[in-house]
Amino acid sequence: MTKEKNLILNAIQIDQRIVRMAYEIYENNLDEKHLILAGVSDNGFVFATLMSKELEKISPLKTSIVRVDINKEAPFLEDVHLEKMEEKELTKKSIVLFDDVLNSGKTAAFALKAFLNTNIKKIEVVVMVNRSHKSFPIYPKYKGYELATTINEHVEVILKGREKGVYLF
């Protein structure tokens, strides 16, 4: 028996939220020349890439995108790895961390670990869906959608392809 998927956000609504959040990010980083957009693999990286394109359209900000590889099932078993970026490239930079869904905050908390040994300027968190089941004290500065769900419900975010949308099942 498969659970029925309910569409929460369609592709147009996702794109509208990305545009809105791009303006918010730009507004809160007017003094910056360069932002590091760090996407938690895999959907967070896709999200960061989409945001980079939108920021380039609306602002003079330069962006670098980095993938944050993390074992989401057991983040404490393996090191968090930044793909294609050295620690020295992060020094005194502002980091914007992207993930698709913020549930307990555990994945985001462990993803932040990748940046804590470097002298960074600041970190902001962006999620497409904030579920508000916080076990870890991570609160996004930017969110596409706030969704009250039970712990047993599942949220799936698809950011590319024909199935693009946010689904609850």
Side-chain angles (χ1 to χ4, degrees):
M1 182 168 78
T2 59
K3 290 185 178 182
E4 183 181 326
K5 286 186 178 183
N6 295 308
L7 182 65
I8 304 298
L9 297 175
N10 63 33
I12 294 169
Q13 293 168 315
I14 288 173
D15 292 341
Q16 289 170 337
R17 281 162 172 77
I18 289 171
V19 170
R20 174 186 49 82
M21 288 187 285
Y23 277 102
E24 290 178 41
I25 291 168
Y26 177 44
E27 182 179 336
N28 287 314
N29 290 283
L30 285 171
D31 295 335
E32 299 295 328
K33 290 179 175 62
H34 186 247
L35 288 178
I36 306 292
L37 307 183
V40 177
S41 58
D42 287 310
N43 255 350
F45 183 74
V46 173
F47 190 11
T49 302
L50 294 170
M51 188 61 70
S52 176
K53 290 175 185 173
E54 195 58 42
L55 283 166
E56 286 177 8
K57 286 182 197 174
I58 67 164
S59 76
L61 283 172
K62 300 283 185 240
T63 59
S64 296
I65 306 167
V66 62
R67 180 189 309 269
V68 181
D69 288 321
I70 184 170
N71 179 345
K72 290 184 179 186
E73 304 306 316
F76 43 86
L77 292 179
E78 300 172 20
D79 285 339
V80 178
H81 176 70
L82 296 180
E83 186 178 292
K84 298 180 183 174
M85 187 153 295
E86 301 293 325
E87 279 188 25
K88 63 183 178 189
E89 295 176 83
L90 301 171
T91 303
K92 297 186 181 176
K93 293 283 192 319
S94 293
I95 314 294
V96 185
L97 180 69
F98 289 81
D99 204 0
D100 55 352
V101 179
L102 185 63
N103 188 13
S104 68
K106 186 177 202 174
T107 299
F110 276 91
L112 291 173
K113 192 169 112 174
F115 304 101
L116 297 180
N117 290 331
T118 307
N119 182 18
I120 58 172
K121 192 173 187 180
K122 70 177 177 179
I123 296 180
E124 298 175 327
V125 177
V126 182
V127 295
M128 183 55 70
V129 177
N130 184 23
R131 289 189 63 196
S132 304
H133 295 293
K134 303 293 180 292
S135 299
F136 290 76
I138 302 293
Y139 293 90
K141 180 153 183 144
Y142 314 100
K143 55 191 170 218
Y145 193 73
E146 185 86 31
L147 183 63
T149 60
T150 67
I151 200 73
N152 296 325
E153 290 175 302
H154 181 75
V155 174
E156 180 179 23
V157 176
I158 301 172
L159 294 172
K160 58 185 175 179
R162 290 182 6 183
E163 297 288 316
K164 187 174 182 180
V166 175
Y167 300 89
L168 175 66
F169 54 99

